[in-house]
């Protein structure tokens, strides 16, 4: 969605005296409101901005007085208040807001409250129209791109622009705020002599860092080819059937955009690997949400942090959102159910999953199914629930092949069948571990890696399937009639 200019204008014209804008992009919102005021009232309209340090830029920082001023002043126009959220526990401020609501109802004046999160006390909830401001969409990003490239690169460099460059750059920038986009672009462009693949790569790196800084999301750049995932044929088939589902042709054909899948199962069998492989296979950006960070309160209240993350994800659409260990976010030890942040976020998440207006494919993973509430498993939320269990013999063979290949060894010089036969009970991660430690062993002995060394390494691993036999059979029983097997 673009900047909601029309929506805000409609509220203004309908005489709403107080409009609460939710955004962490102060500069972008301030500029937009300012030019909206110009459009509506022309040059005679006033535009004043209040902040807790500068007041109306005249040093008078008292909020009560500032609200009075906004109400009393004769000129029409807009009053934009920042930082008000810090004062909403003051009864005098609440009173002033209620008064302002009454007095400004029929006047050509609007008070805007700008805050990065929604925290409106019940007392004044009815008095405010709340408008959530999305991050810049593709067309707005395109304009920012044009402006920055024109302003900050010499013409000779602009002429080197490859045909795909603008689209790739705009894609890379989606999910950032307008100011962040400008800075990322300027940093990427500085001193560059050519606008091509390298610049796109640099821009993606800038974005990864900016997204990481915001705390709860990680823009995952590592790509995993689906051929590097051993076994799990049913998942692969499912993905293959839907690989074009995010194209506009698919929409025209009448296909629903896939919502997401839930991968459950035994640790080390390829859940995280699959999440990366899906994004790679569909050629979509991958954003990982860290629920532990959401709940840490290091990035504001859990609700605000979660909503902010969702905004970034939606602006990046089409994309894959990867939520690892979703059960950790849903049920937290020591917390009663009911009106806790976790249950509120979970409720918000379920609604969002169901009503998602953006092409965001959710890949959630879970290890502890008994912590998952039944609502999440209901049809309509995830398209499919896959159960990933220990690899069978054929799959182990493939996993050995993949990890030998990954480390530059030719799989043909090993007896893969016998390796697979002799490693029952090992997970993919354990097979990889066996390959790694066998390599160390043979290197230290000054000889080439061989079957014997691999078998020795594999047999010295105490597999999770032994130490956690109970849990695994419980998981398998649970999954038998609730989930689709990931393997054939
Ligand atoms: N099916 C597989 N094919 C190839 N490699 C695999 C497979 N399963 C696991 N591996 C290897 O093991 C590593 C760990 O697997 P992964 O992180 O996907 O496990 P997980 O199911 O997410 O486990 P956890 O529940 O502990 O997070 C992978 O990076 C990969 O190298
Ligand atoms: Mg994992």
């Amino acid at each position: 969605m673009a900047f909601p200019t029309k929506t805000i204008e409609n509220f203004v014209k309908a005489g709403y005296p107080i409009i609460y804008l939710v955004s962490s992009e102060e500069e972008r919102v301030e500029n937009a409101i300012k030019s909206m005021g110009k459009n509506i009232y022309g040059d005679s309209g006033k535009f004043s901005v209040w902040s807790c340090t500068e007041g109306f830029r005249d040093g008078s920082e008292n909020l009560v007085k500032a609200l009075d001023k906004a109400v009393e002043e004769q000129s029409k126009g807009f009053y934009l208040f920042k930082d008000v959220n810090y004062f909403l526990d003051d009864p005098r401020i609440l009173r002033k807001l209620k008064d302002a609501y009454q007095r400004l109802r029929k006047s050509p004046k609007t008070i805007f409250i700008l805050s990065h999160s929604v925290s409106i006390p019940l007392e004044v909830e009815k008095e405010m129209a709340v408008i959530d401001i999305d991050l810049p969409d593709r067309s707005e990003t395109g304009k920012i791109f044009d402006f920055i490239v024109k302003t900050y690169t010499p013409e000779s460099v602009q002429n080197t622009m490859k045909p795909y460059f603008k689209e790739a750059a705009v894609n890379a920038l989606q999910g950032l705020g307008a100011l962040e986009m400008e800075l990322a672009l300027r940093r990427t462009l500085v001193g560059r002599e050519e606008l091509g693949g390298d610049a796109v790569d640099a821009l993606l790196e800038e974005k990864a860092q900016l997204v990481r800084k915001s705390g709860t999301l990680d823009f995952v750049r590592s790509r995993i080819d689906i051929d590097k995932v051993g076994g799990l044929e049913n998942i692969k088939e499912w993905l293959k059937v839907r690989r074009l589902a995010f194209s506009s042709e698919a929409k025209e054909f009448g296909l629903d955009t896939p919502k997401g899948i839930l991968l459950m199962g035994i640790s080390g069998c390829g859940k995280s690997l699959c999440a990366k492989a899906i994004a790679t296979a569909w050629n979509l950006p991958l954003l990982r949400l860290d629920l532990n960070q959401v709940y840490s309160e290091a990035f504001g209240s859990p609700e605000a942090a979660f909503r902010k993350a969702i905004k970034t994800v939606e602006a990046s659409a089409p994309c894959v959102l990867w939520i690892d260990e979703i059960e950790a976010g849903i049920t937290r030890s020591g917390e009663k159910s009911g009106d806790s942040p976790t249950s509120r976020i979970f409720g918000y998440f379920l609604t969002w999953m169901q009503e998602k207006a953006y092409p965001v494919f959710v890949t959630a993973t879970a290890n502890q199914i008994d912590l998952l509430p039944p609502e999440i498993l209901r049809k309509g939320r995830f398209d499919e629930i896959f159960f990933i269990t220990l690899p069978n013999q054929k799959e182990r063979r493939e996993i050995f092949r993949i990890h030998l290949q990954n480390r530059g060894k030719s799989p043909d010089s090993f007896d893969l069948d016998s390796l697979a036969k002799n490693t029952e009970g090992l997970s993919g991660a354990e097979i990889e571990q066996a390959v790694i430690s066998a390599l160390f062993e043979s290197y230290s002995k000054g000889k080439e890696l061989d079957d014997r060394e691999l078998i020795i390494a594999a047999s010295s691993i105490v597999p999770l399937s032994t130490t956690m036999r109970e849990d695994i059979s419980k998981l398998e029983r649970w999954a038998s009639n609730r989930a689709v097997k990931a393997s054939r």
Side-chain angles (χ1 to χ4, degrees), residues 14 18 111 127 131 133-134 282 286 310 316 335 343 394 415:
I18 307 178
I111 289 180
E127 276 80 5
I131 299 175
I133 294 174
D134 288 329
W282 290 353
L286 176 63
I310 292 293
S316 312
E335 198 179 66
S343 62
K394 188 163 159 265
D415 185 353

Side-chain angles (χ1 to χ4, degrees), residues 224 228-232 265-274 276 322 324-325 365-367 388 391 395 398-399 402-403 406-407 427-430 432:
I224 294 278
K228 294 288 177 192
V229 180
L232 312 182
I266 296 162
S267 185
C269 291
K271 294 188 296 298
S272 301
L273 198 64
C274 274
K276 291 183 200 153
W322 169 21
D324 219 9
E325 289 170 32
T365 73
N367 296 24
I388 305 188
E395 291 178 312
E398 242 184 279
I399 297 173
I402 289 167
H403 287 290
N406 282 354
R407 285 164 183 82
S427 68
E430 287 161 345
E432 181 182 23

Side-chain angles (χ1 to χ4, degrees), residues 102-143:
Q102 292 298 338
R103 302 260 314 265
L104 294 185
R105 248 196 317 194
K106 295 202 176 67
S107 78
K109 268 193 286 193
T110 313
I111 289 180
F112 290 96
I113 293 178
L114 172 58
S115 168
H116 68 283
S117 67
V118 196
S119 51
I120 306 171
L122 265 171
E123 295 94 312
V124 287
E125 218 175 50
K126 278 207 283 303
E127 276 80 5
M128 299 189 190
V130 179
I131 299 175
D132 218 337
I133 294 174
D134 288 329
L135 293 166
D137 63 0
R138 286 201 150 65
S139 104
E140 195 176 337
T141 309
K143 285 183 195 138

Side-chain angles (χ1 to χ4, degrees), residues 472-483:
I472 290 174
S473 46
K474 199 171 89 190
L475 205 61
E476 279 175 345
R477 270 199 308 279
W478 183 93
S480 66
N481 58 353
R482 291 183 181 86

